[in-house]
Amino acid sequence: HEWGFEISLFQQRLTDMGLPESFGEFGFMCHVAVTDKKTGIHAFAVGFELEPKRISKDPVVLDASYCRLELGGDGHDHVVAVIPEGMEERGLAGSWEINLEIDPVKPMAHHGGTGLISMTDNGGASYYYSYTRSTASGSLSTPEGQFTVGGQAWMDHQWGDFDVNAFKGWDWWSIQTDDDWEVMLFQFRDHSDEIVHQDGTIVDPEGNVTNILGLDAFSIVSQRSWTSLISE
């Protein structure tokens, strides 16, 4: 039985969301998703909190909404995330819980050459690194029961001074191949849907990093399209 998982925790400036300054400076958004590859079920939830349950620097712990990250600093992390009963976005049965120990098998990969990437010409910049291949072990609780699991993971950490309203959106891919290569590609689109910035990173089986930078470094060509059956 195979599953996929995603845990994402965002710190977001509240004024960028249109909220008044009286709400405070930042809020915390958590995304949790589990995909059951056997049944095709994809369960996900989005939570938001103005104040995290815990935030600390030593040890590094951020616990907000449905997500809890305990970061070891050396890539050894403990991550816990839940989709509570009744909070799955499309009304699927709950609850779900991910509880995993993450350990890297390759060194940290710095994106953009130095670990600093441009968020388009007027969008600011951000620091960005990844552990592109790690082991993951622990437990997964689903509506069908609890399972002991083991597999692999990809961990991203990105932060900086940038304005998400300066661009329309971005496309991002992380690829792990069966022969131990990893590829990360991203591109930013302006408000007229033109590609205005792109970078990429290739990590070989030994962990050596090659950066591919600039609009001429690669191109992404769509091969097919998909239309959601869920109306907005």
Side-chain angles (χ1 to χ4, degrees), residues 110-190:
H110 293 88
H111 301 300
T114 62
L116 185 66
I117 66 169
S118 171
M119 306 286 282
T120 77
D121 291 341
N122 60 351
S126 78
Y127 296 96
Y128 187 10
Y129 70 84
S130 300
Y131 287 104
T132 58
R133 192 177 294 262
S134 299
T135 61
S137 60
S139 64
L140 171 67
S141 296
T142 78
E144 283 70 47
Q146 181 166 315
F147 301 86
T148 299
V149 293
Q152 65 185 29
W154 176 304
M155 182 273 198
D156 268 353
H157 186 192
Q158 185 175 359
W159 74 101
D161 183 14
F162 55 89
D163 181 6
V164 296
N165 297 313
F167 42 86
K168 182 177 181 179
W170 60 89
D171 307 301
W172 175 86
W173 299 263
S174 63
I175 302 166
Q176 295 169 319
T177 69
D178 291 339
D179 56 353
D180 287 336
W181 290 75
E182 292 89 48
V183 180
M184 188 282 297
L185 303 173
F186 70 86
Q187 58 189 20
F188 290 103
R189 291 173 279 110
D190 65 14

